[in-house]
Amino acid sequence: MVSESVQVNEQARAPLGASYWKLWTSSGLSNLADGVFKIALPLLAIQFTQSPTLIAGVSFVATLPWLLFALTAGALADRLDRRRLMLVANLTRATLPAMLLGVILLDLGSIWALYVIALLVGVAETLYDTSAQSIMPQLVHRDQLSRANGRLYAVELTTNQFIGPPLGGLLVAAGVIGGFAVPAVLWLAAVGSLFLVRGNFRIEREQKTTLRHDIAEGLRFLWHQKILRTLAVMTGTFNFASSAAFALLVLFAVGPSSAMQLSEVGFGVLLTTSAIGALLGSFISEWAERKLGRSKSLALTIFGGSFFVGAPALTDNPYILGFVFFVGGVLVMLWNVITVSLRQRITPNRLLGRVNSAYRLLAWGTMPLGAAAGGLLATWLGLQAMFGIMGVLTLALLALMPIVTDKAIDAADVES
């Protein structure tokens, strides 16, 4: 007789399946489109205004839907067919750049038109991303989630951060039309790939409820599930600290009067080291989780994450910081793969969209607060003191690790 552990290992290493790889392809195309679009939009914005406040407003408006619409997006992902929501979201995202091109060609473009397009694309993004994260347990076995999420993060990172931004810059340099036409075509191609995924991805509902009731139910589940609640607080705290640090890293690193005295190109290379580390982390996370266990892996990411955030308080050597950022990228990806996969395992499928959106609201909602706090602290105490404070804040998260033990994680897994 084959033991249960052997069966689990065999299932975990089984092929991910054709439907998963179609989703993977669609996500890669979608993130490539997003990577091009997020660079093309501010490059177009500076043709309308040189106001730093108005230019920063483009990014603010683009991320605002995660604060205003995330919970609603999660409720919709649990009410409707998740694949169809993703299709509608990407069809919407493909249409909006085309509309913007029409406005520009009619000589009606303005910074306010960009705000409208950025806001609507952001709303579509919340729908797509929430549904994409929630559909995963319907495509692969629960024991395959770490590997499936790791591979998905790899293609998303590569297309969104490595290929998309420089491609967007080249396209806009060649002409505004290419910078917005290409994302539209890529989002349509993503729709085509996802359309090939067959099946019903709507969760059966036992009774009719209001949208407000559904959102409240998801929030209650997250609050009463101790492991998930703790991880949400830890993720939100880390994002607060990292946003404070990285929002002001440019002042520490770039220019002859800065501590590091890097050029703009050198600064780009420095940031790329963390992206390379994250790409590597997406491939080794499953192995690290299996070898170290989930609790030890998470504790390692916190310890390393404190240096990732706080290292500029200790040195301005670009080579040392580049290595620290590389390792930090690996560890941040390890945290993401473990926590997302755990959330997908613990949360009932009917609640997954709402819990994902509530979790992300907390995790991403702290980022603008962190950036603001970092600016205030740097003004009062100096840049390096701010980096040090955020590093210590990250390290303090180890105090919550007695809650996130392997025994507690396994118990939550069994209960689900």
Side-chain angles (χ1 to χ4, degrees):
M1 179 179 293
V2 180
S3 69
E4 183 178 348
S5 62
V6 172
Q7 290 177 332
V8 169
N9 287 334
E10 289 179 349
Q11 182 65 64
R13 297 173 185 176
L16 294 171
S19 292
Y20 168 81
W21 289 110
K22 291 170 185 174
L23 172 68
W24 183 90
T25 301
S26 177
S27 183
L29 292 168
S30 184
N31 275 273
L32 180 58
D34 188 51
V36 172
F37 185 78
K38 72 182 182 182
I39 292 298
L41 207 60
L43 289 176
L44 177 60
I46 62 176
Q47 298 182 26
F48 295 119
T49 179
Q50 293 295 310
S51 166
T53 302
L54 292 177
I55 296 297
V58 175
S59 296
F60 174 78
V61 169
T63 56
L64 188 60
W66 282 107
L67 287 174
L68 301 181
F69 191 66
L71 295 178
T72 302
L76 292 174
D78 288 342
R79 280 174 168 254
L80 306 174
D81 187 297
R82 290 163 178 169
R83 183 183 71 103
R84 290 183 181 178
L85 271 179
M86 293 166 68
L87 290 171
V88 169
N90 268 356
L91 281 172
T92 301
R93 289 201 282 187
T95 302
L96 290 169
M99 292 175 59
L100 180 59
L101 276 177
V103 169
I104 293 170
L105 292 175
L106 292 172
D107 200 26
L108 298 174
S110 68
I111 189 67
W112 309 110
L114 297 193
Y115 282 4
V116 173
I117 296 298
L119 180 67
L120 294 176
V121 169
V123 170
E125 181 185 31
T126 62
L127 274 175
Y128 182 90
D129 287 0
T130 300
S131 300
Q133 204 168 80
S134 303
I135 202 174
M136 188 67 75
Q138 294 172 278
L139 290 176
V140 301
H141 191 272
R142 58 182 286 142
D143 296 317
Q144 297 175 308
L145 285 171
S146 292
R147 176 156 52 104
N149 284 316
R151 300 297 181 270
L152 193 66
Y153 282 142
V155 71
E156 289 177 352
L157 181 73
T158 301
T159 54
N160 196 295
Q161 295 190 26
F162 286 134
I163 303 176
L167 177 60
L170 289 172
L171 289 170
V172 173
V176 171
I177 292 178
F180 294 97
V182 169
V185 172
L186 288 169
W187 272 316
L188 283 177
V191 167
S193 179
L194 188 61
F195 188 77
L196 298 175
V197 177
R198 299 302 179 189
N200 178 20
F201 298 95
R202 183 172 185 169
I203 305 301
E204 294 298 325
R205 298 169 61 84
E206 297 179 357
Q207 58 184 3
K208 291 185 178 181
T209 56
T210 64
L211 205 62
R212 182 177 179 179
H213 173 275
D214 287 354
I215 291 172
E217 186 181 13
L219 289 170
R220 281 196 302 270
F221 181 88
L222 179 61
W223 179 254
H224 291 299
Q225 176 52 255
K226 192 174 184 179
I227 288 292
L228 292 185
R229 184 179 74 235
T230 303
L231 289 174
V233 170
M234 295 170 80
T235 303
T237 303
F238 176 77
N239 283 342
F240 176 92
S242 61
S243 293
F246 282 90
L248 297 174
L249 183 63
V250 64
L251 296 178
F252 182 76
V254 179
S257 61
S258 69
M260 297 182 70
Q261 299 183 352
L262 295 179
S263 66
E264 287 81 357
V265 174
F267 182 62
V269 172
L270 180 67
L271 294 182
T272 300
T273 58
S274 65
I276 294 172
L279 181 62
L280 175 62
S282 69
F283 288 101
I284 68 171
S285 293
E286 184 187 18
W287 171 83
E289 179 182 346
R290 189 170 61 248
K291 292 295 184 182
L292 298 177
R294 287 179 284 195
S295 182
K296 288 182 180 178
S297 295
L298 293 175
L300 178 63
T301 64
I302 293 171
F303 182 76
S306 66
F307 286 97
F308 182 53
V309 172
L314 304 175
T315 180
D316 57 12
N317 185 298
Y319 300 102
I320 295 176
L321 288 177
F323 176 75
V324 171
F325 289 173
F326 170 79
V327 175
V330 174
L331 296 176
V332 168
M333 185 57 68
L334 176 60
W335 175 279
N336 287 339
V337 169
I338 292 175
T339 56
V340 170
S341 302
L342 179 62
R343 190 162 74 245
Q344 290 169 339
R345 291 189 186 102
I346 291 176
T347 307
N349 205 11
R350 67 181 187 84
L351 289 170
L352 191 52
R354 285 165 281 173
V355 173
N356 277 335
S357 63
Y359 195 102
R360 280 194 165 193
L361 178 65
L362 177 59
W364 291 17
T366 58
M367 295 171 72
L369 300 177
L376 290 174
L377 286 172
T379 301
W380 294 336
L381 304 175
L383 277 173
Q384 288 191 291
M386 182 275 295
F387 289 127
I389 290 170
M390 293 305 161
V392 171
L393 177 61
T394 301
L395 189 63
L397 292 174
L398 288 173
L400 295 177
M401 283 309 299
I403 299 174
V404 192
T405 62
D406 281 327
K407 183 178 180 181
I409 293 173
D410 293 342
D413 245 343
V414 171
E415 290 175 5
S416 64

